[in-house]
Amino acid sequence: MKMLGRLSVLLVVCLALAGVAHAKDDFLSPDKAYRYTTRVEGDRLIVSWDIEKGYYLYKKKMGVVASSADAQLGEPLWPRGEDHTDEYFGTQEVYRGKVEVPVPIVIKGARPQVLGVELRLQGCADAGLCYPPQKWQTEVRLPAAAAAGQNGKAGGALSALLGKKSAPAGQSEFLPPDQAFRFGAGLPQADSVPLTWVIADGYYLYKNRITIESATPNVQIGKPALPQGKPKHDEYFGDTEVYYEVLEATLPVARAASTKPQPLQLKVTYQGCAEGGLCYNPITKEVAVELPPTAAATALPADASAASSASAPAVVSEQDSLAAIVRHGNIAVLIGIFFLGGLVLSLTPCVLPMIPILSGIIVGQGDRLTPWRGFSLALTYVQGMALTYAAAGAIFAALFKTAPQATFQQPWILITFALLFVLLALAMFGAYNLQLPSGLQTRLSNLSNDQKAGTFVGTFIMGALSALIVTACVAPAIVGALSVIAQSGSVPRGALGLYAAGIGMGAPLLVVGASAGALLPKVGPWMETVKSLFGVMFLGVAIYVLHPILPDAPKLLLWSVLAIISGFWIFSLQRRDGSPAPAAIRGFGLLAMIYGILLLIGAVSGGTDPVAPLANARQMRGANGAAAAPEQALAFQRIKTVADLDAAVASATAAGRPVMLDFYADWCASCKEMEKLTFTDAQVQAALANAVLLQADVTANDEHDKALLNRFEIFGPPTIAFFGRDGVERKNFRLVGFAPAPRFAEHVKAAFAS
């Protein structure tokens, strides 16, 4: 009859959810979907759940309570479940498969032979059925007291800590410390250990007096994740937070991959008081747990960095600092920091090419140009750039988990936009008039008498395209915002930060727009000269855009041709009356031609750097004509897949060596700066002398590259990760963006010494 009753309930639920669960689905009854067994180990009741495939139980809907008066069950030590989102309860922690839940047993009087237990649960099926709450009664036979006492190994550390419920009469009105605060460690996960304190009535535990240490090598522990306590003011510690009844915490653990269980020895210190006025001395317990095997190394969360000593504050990476600001910081501080970051980025080579683009648009206005119109065009251009960063960054971070710049560095896209800049340059040289078709101009004129709408729309689009094409570097500020958007779902705050960074990057462009109308001539031959000058700058931008896909020699050759032709043109400029241009202008043209010739020599001799075209020739010949040793770079071991990474880190761990992993791409300008200016430094090479150097080339941005980036929850290079000799990443030392050699050398030493 009991089974028929449950089947009747199941039938009613199925009919009520007919819109979700199809009639063809053959759902199990609750007792078939969620089978359990019980056993007693020392002073703990172990409830083992065997959940059928396709079904799950809600952690917050489960409970284990005693149904008899002569014994009491403590708070179950719930293991960590998995996050699940459904239409019934939203996002919840659920259990699947096999789960074991230890429950402390507290005997109030004479030890009973049988303990009555009530199991409370509620779960659902993936196919769409959600069961009503269940309450199942069962009985557990308790072993004799002597047997229980001899089973110390089975009972674990908690058995020794629980003790009796109350002190012997006449000794004290207060409970002994181990009875007032019963502590135990639950079943550990691969990357965490659950901790539980059962606090007696009338007692409380201080939040800021809980500390955890570990002397186990090759395992890092983080700061315990503690819930918010209740505010309290007392005579011992003033205003503080305390816990009553039950405290559940999670201790994050970082360690290398291991095929065997790994022991972990913890020393846990805590302190609490009684409401009656007694404050206990700090209590220290040593607990031994066994971490299960794990196929991949685990890392500490960004907000639970490795525990540090009192004398040395924990190191927080630049990316994590920015992430914390985006996640929790004041809105004004968020906008200000990202605006300043964008302002600094505006001085980098990634942003400077935007100036000739905008200037070309402004100069093309001819006699319609005024200071106000120039500023309005510049503001429109910057808005296109900033809004594109905000929108594209949020979309890519939330949906695709990759940086927009990586997508826009495909060769066919770069070639297309390089040709676009060449066409714009030809228009500046007067080869043709770049304008809308007459029919479309007529339609736009009906909307706006002077065609301002069309001009501003085109300028906005050009700003949006420039943001995605020219900004090849992945700056730390942008990476931090993207990381938070993807990890925490704070799309509005992350997008706001990206928008502020875009405005900061465009601030110099606003100055260009406001000053162009006042400083540049409106009509006359000089106007044509200025337009031609901007045509030359557009050609320079086209070469810059092609940098990621061109070999070194053709790059130098293109710069050489541009410099020689431009220098000759400037050298040949004449005044309005036909006389030669001023000597300063002609001298600048002559210097440009000389520089172009040096670039040509550098291209022939194997040079790679337009700023130092003859560097390769100098390295090949010493001061006395003897061959000079070339500048040595770091010798990286290339990896392609996550499996390659795990194997390389495991090999380094076996050899007792730390690891540095460098994410690189051909289209990453800062990566090449690191190779040229940082990795060749003697101090940096000395700091990395004993390290295994790995490099992940993510230029192709294929599935293997994306898997590596997702493994570290990053969006692109340059990003550098450091692993200790234990094979665990020191996440709080992760470095994003370019770092000069002296700072990088100190950073490496600190990362490997942590």
Side-chain angles (χ1 to χ4, degrees):
M1 294 301 292
K2 183 178 180 181
M3 179 63 70
L4 291 176
R6 289 179 178 173
L7 290 176
S8 300
V9 172
L10 175 62
L11 180 60
V12 172
V13 174
C14 289
L15 292 175
L17 299 175
V20 179
H22 299 288
K24 64 179 182 180
D25 291 330
D26 187 15
F27 294 108
L28 298 173
S29 60
D31 56 342
K32 292 289 195 309
Y34 314 112
R35 298 190 301 273
Y36 72 90
T37 59
T38 59
R39 69 181 188 273
V40 176
E41 293 183 356
D43 288 336
R44 291 193 304 178
L45 167 67
I46 309 296
V47 182
S48 299
W49 292 97
D50 189 358
I51 305 169
E52 285 292 327
K53 186 177 181 181
Y55 295 79
Y56 53 90
L57 286 173
Y58 294 102
K59 177 180 177 180
K60 290 188 176 180
K61 302 292 183 180
M62 299 177 69
V64 184
V65 297
S67 57
S68 53
D70 47 4
Q72 186 178 18
L73 293 178
E75 180 68 19
L77 304 178
W78 301 106
R80 177 181 293 180
E82 64 179 65
D83 291 335
H84 175 79
T85 302
D86 60 26
E87 59 183 307
Y88 303 106
F89 298 105
T91 300
Q92 293 273 346
E93 196 172 345
V94 301
Y95 294 130
R96 296 179 184 271
K98 296 183 181 298
V99 181
E100 284 197 348
V101 182
V103 187
I105 302 175
V106 180
I107 307 300
K108 300 178 64 175
R111 188 179 186 88
Q113 294 183 349
V114 177
L115 173 64
V117 177
E118 180 180 273
L119 303 178
R120 301 172 182 176
L121 64 145
Q122 185 175 11
C124 296
D126 289 327
L129 174 67
C130 191
Y131 296 98
Q134 307 284 317
K135 290 185 179 180
W136 297 346
Q137 304 290 334
T138 187
E139 291 183 343
V140 180
R141 182 167 295 278
L142 298 179
Q150 294 170 359
N151 194 14
K153 182 176 180 181
L158 189 63
S159 175
L161 296 177
L162 288 176
K164 297 181 179 180
K165 176 64 179 177
S166 59
Q171 284 191 5
S172 174
E173 60 179 306
F174 297 106
L175 295 175
D178 289 345
Q179 294 183 22
F181 313 105
R182 303 195 305 276
F183 167 75
L187 296 178
Q189 304 294 308
D191 60 351
S192 64
V193 178
L195 306 174
T196 301
W197 286 263
V198 179
I199 306 168
D201 291 340
Y203 296 79
Y204 55 88
L205 202 62
Y206 292 104
K207 179 178 182 179
N208 60 0
R209 306 294 292 177
I210 298 174
T211 60
I212 304 175
E213 300 177 1
S214 170
T216 303
N218 301 334
V219 177
Q220 279 187 297
I221 62 172
K223 297 178 180 178
L226 299 169
Q228 184 174 357
K230 294 184 178 180
K232 183 177 180 62
H233 179 84
D234 65 18
E235 58 181 308
Y236 301 102
F237 298 105
D239 293 322
T240 184
E241 287 185 48
V242 298
Y243 299 108
Y244 294 92
E245 297 181 352
V246 175
L247 167 60
E248 293 182 329
T250 301
L251 179 68
V253 173
R255 61 192 179 111
S258 175
T259 58
K260 298 180 179 180
Q262 188 171 9
L264 173 61
Q265 190 75 25
L266 297 175
K267 185 166 72 172
V268 183
T269 302
Y270 49 94
Q271 187 174 10
C273 295
E275 295 283 8
L278 175 66
C279 191
Y280 294 87
N281 291 327
I283 304 168
T284 299
K285 297 294 181 182
E286 293 188 358
V287 181
V289 298
E290 197 170 72
L291 300 173
T294 175
T298 63
L300 299 180
D303 55 352
S305 56
S308 59
S309 64
S311 60
V315 176
V316 181
S317 68
E318 184 180 44
Q319 177 179 342
D320 291 339
S321 299
L322 292 168
I325 293 173
V326 175
R327 186 183 289 112
H328 304 300
N330 181 275
I331 291 293
V333 175
L334 168 69
I335 294 175
I337 288 179
F338 277 87
F339 175 83
L340 292 176
L343 193 61
V344 172
L345 292 175
S346 69
L347 305 177
T348 65
C350 297
V351 182
L352 289 178
M354 294 183 180
I355 296 179
I357 298 174
L358 176 62
S359 301
I361 294 172
I362 293 175
V363 170
Q365 298 298 300
D367 56 2
R368 294 188 302 164
L369 184 61
T370 64
W372 173 248
R373 185 170 180 80
F375 177 79
S376 300
L377 287 170
L379 181 61
T380 303
Y381 182 93
V382 172
Q383 287 295 320
M385 182 175 66
L387 290 174
T388 298
Y389 274 122
I395 292 172
F396 274 80
L399 299 181
F400 303 106
K401 294 186 179 295
T402 182
Q405 289 83 358
T407 302
F408 279 84
Q409 294 297 329
Q410 301 299 323
W412 69 270
I413 295 180
L414 295 177
I415 293 173
T416 300
F417 284 110
L419 291 175
L420 172 62
F421 289 124
V422 172
L423 294 176
L424 291 174
L426 293 177
M428 292 291 102
F429 294 144
Y432 55 87
N433 290 326
L434 187 63
Q435 61 182 8
L436 295 173
S438 58
L440 185 56
Q441 287 189 29
T442 301
R443 293 183 182 181
L444 290 176
S445 64
N446 294 333
L447 299 175
S448 177
N449 292 331
D450 58 357
Q451 301 180 24
K452 288 182 180 179
T455 299
F456 286 115
V457 169
T459 303
F460 181 91
I461 294 174
M462 184 60 72
L465 294 176
S466 300
L468 296 176
I469 304 165
V470 180
T471 310
C473 303
V474 180
I478 296 176
V479 171
L482 291 176
S483 299
V484 174
I485 295 172
Q487 295 171 17
S488 69
S490 303
V491 174
R493 292 176 65 89
L496 179 62
L498 287 170
Y499 175 80
I503 294 295
M505 293 169 65
L509 304 179
L510 298 177
V511 177
V512 172
S515 63
L519 300 179
L520 293 179
K522 305 300 186 297
V523 293
W526 270 107
M527 192 65 205
E528 296 302 319
T529 301
V530 172
K531 288 181 63 177
S532 298
L533 178 62
F534 283 118
V536 172
M537 299 178 75
F538 277 134
L539 291 178
V541 172
I543 299 175
Y544 177 84
V545 169
L546 291 175
H547 258 230
I549 60 175
L550 287 178
D552 292 325
K555 280 189 292 190
L556 287 185
L557 185 60
L558 287 175
W559 285 117
S560 172
V561 172
L562 181 62
I564 292 174
I565 295 177
S566 302
F568 181 78
W569 168 69
I570 295 173
F571 183 79
S572 304
L573 287 176
Q574 296 180 345
R575 298 176 187 267
R576 186 175 300 184
D577 58 5
S579 60
I585 295 179
R586 290 168 59 83
F588 181 78
L590 182 61
L591 289 176
M593 287 191 289
I594 295 174
Y595 174 63
I597 295 173
L598 295 177
L599 287 172
L600 183 60
I601 297 174
V604 174
S605 62
T608 61
D609 189 357
V611 178
L614 302 182
N616 191 64
R618 290 197 304 270
Q619 290 175 354
M620 297 302 295
R621 304 300 300 175
N624 298 323
E631 199 172 36
Q632 295 294 323
L634 293 176
F636 284 99
Q637 173 188 340
R638 284 289 178 94
I639 62 170
K640 182 62 178 177
T641 65
V642 174
D644 293 342
L645 170 65
D646 290 338
V649 172
S651 176
T653 302
R657 300 174 62 187
V659 176
M660 185 185 84
L661 172 62
D662 173 44
F663 284 89
Y664 167 89
D666 290 340
W667 41 261
C668 171
S670 293
C671 298
K672 297 182 177 181
E673 290 180 358
M674 290 290 291
E675 285 192 340
K676 175 180 174 56
L677 303 176
T678 302
F679 293 159
T680 56
D681 182 79
Q683 291 183 348
V684 171
Q685 294 186 357
L688 294 170
N690 189 44
V692 174
L693 306 179
L694 305 179
Q695 189 173 70
D697 186 348
V698 295
T699 302
N701 198 33
D702 56 22
E703 293 305 317
H704 291 304
D705 297 340
K706 293 177 181 177
L708 268 175
L709 295 173
N710 289 338
R711 167 73 172 270
F712 290 85
E713 297 181 334
I714 60 177
F715 294 86
T719 300
I720 299 177
F722 299 91
F723 297 78
R725 290 178 174 83
D726 54 5
V728 178
E729 185 201 354
R730 305 304 191 249
K731 189 173 181 181
N732 48 323
F733 284 93
R734 188 179 294 179
L735 191 63
V736 180
F738 173 78
R743 182 165 71 89
F744 186 79
E746 294 301 321
H747 189 88
V748 170
K749 294 176 184 177
F752 289 159
S754 67

